[in-house]
Amino acid sequence: MKHPMIPQIIKDYLQVIRNGSNVNTYKLTWAKAIIEICVEQPTITVISLEEIAKKVFKYYWNQTIYFDLQQSNNPNLVPEIVTEVKVKIEEYYKTKKSRTPIHFEKVESKIDINTKKIVQTLKSDVSWRFPLVNKQHLPVYEYKKGENELTVNNAAALAEYSDILYEAINYKWTQVLETFNSAPRIAKKVRIIDFPNIKRKPLSPFRPVLEIENPNHICFICGEPIVDETPAIDHVIPWSFLYSDDIWNLVFTHQTCNSSKSNTIPSEADIEKLEARNVGLLEKMKVDVKYHHKKVCAELETAVDRDYVRKFWVACRS
């Protein structure tokens, strides 16, 4: 979309987003919440901090339940809002008796958000600081320190130019998180909160490839044969860390072994076993006329040559 005449308020927002200081990601969730509210209500003039708090909680829920990214520059001091989100995630898991991650939008009605606590944090740390860039106060909204609401200036413009603002926020958020985390694919993990669903591709196309190296269906996790059931296809390094499906990270397991593993990071012994499996699988694919010219074989060879298993494992542990 082209925007030939960008209003001054958009320029001010972009300046704040790009140049504001960020010891954590609060300001970015704050900005995103305001923009989203304006998209939903382009005629709005007053936004309550409670509305913003609910959006901020949603963003942190979705990033935390899937990826548990560090959101501040001090790993020993988790931001209060993130701590509150983690408490609610654990409460949800205990209720569901499952640790399968889920988007907040699907369970919103079941989560009791302590908005008062979040609002208090936003009041003290974000609301009045956000418009400051190099000690200059930019007129992105009107707000008196300590109040429970702010006045937006031209919500319609914020809604119209939301595509530009979202891109700027996501880019800045990615940059900030990259200083706190060494996990791979940070940008994708930031963009997850823009979508109500995560579409995961079926893993069945990988089954014939895994059969080449493991025709007897030995479970990668427990080492026992898989009988009387269809082998599950498991991500050794959990999907939530990599956000992708790659043959070098997929193995056969029992359905129960797969379920019990949850999102735990594998041990070094498992990584060594996966590395050996990949070498063996690659050797067999290279002599199999059905696969040695296919993309999946080239991808596995690249993974082995570049030591993807260990590099991604080390990154996910950091």
Side-chain angles (χ1 to χ4, degrees), residues 62-120:
N62 287 338
Q63 273 196 7
T64 301
I65 202 167
Y66 281 99
F67 308 118
D68 197 18
L69 294 169
Q70 185 177 319
Q71 300 285 344
S72 72
N73 59 7
N74 187 344
N76 298 318
L77 188 61
V78 180
E80 289 183 0
I81 298 176
V82 179
T83 298
E84 179 67 17
V85 169
K86 288 187 173 185
V87 168
K88 295 301 179 182
I89 288 174
E90 288 303 316
E91 289 177 2
Y92 170 78
Y93 279 151
K94 288 179 182 177
T95 301
K96 297 299 292 183
K97 297 180 180 180
S98 167
R99 297 192 73 84
T100 302
I102 189 168
H103 248 72
F104 178 74
E105 290 86 337
K106 293 185 177 181
V107 294
E108 183 173 1
S109 62
K110 302 175 184 178
I111 309 301
D112 180 23
I113 305 174
N114 188 346
T115 52
K116 288 185 178 179
K117 187 173 183 178
I118 296 174
V119 165
Q120 189 56 45

Side-chain angles (χ1 to χ4, degrees), residues 290-301:
K290 291 185 295 184
Y291 291 106
H292 73 282
H293 286 311
K294 287 197 173 181
K295 179 182 177 185
V296 67
C297 184
E299 289 176 343
L300 180 58
E301 185 169 22

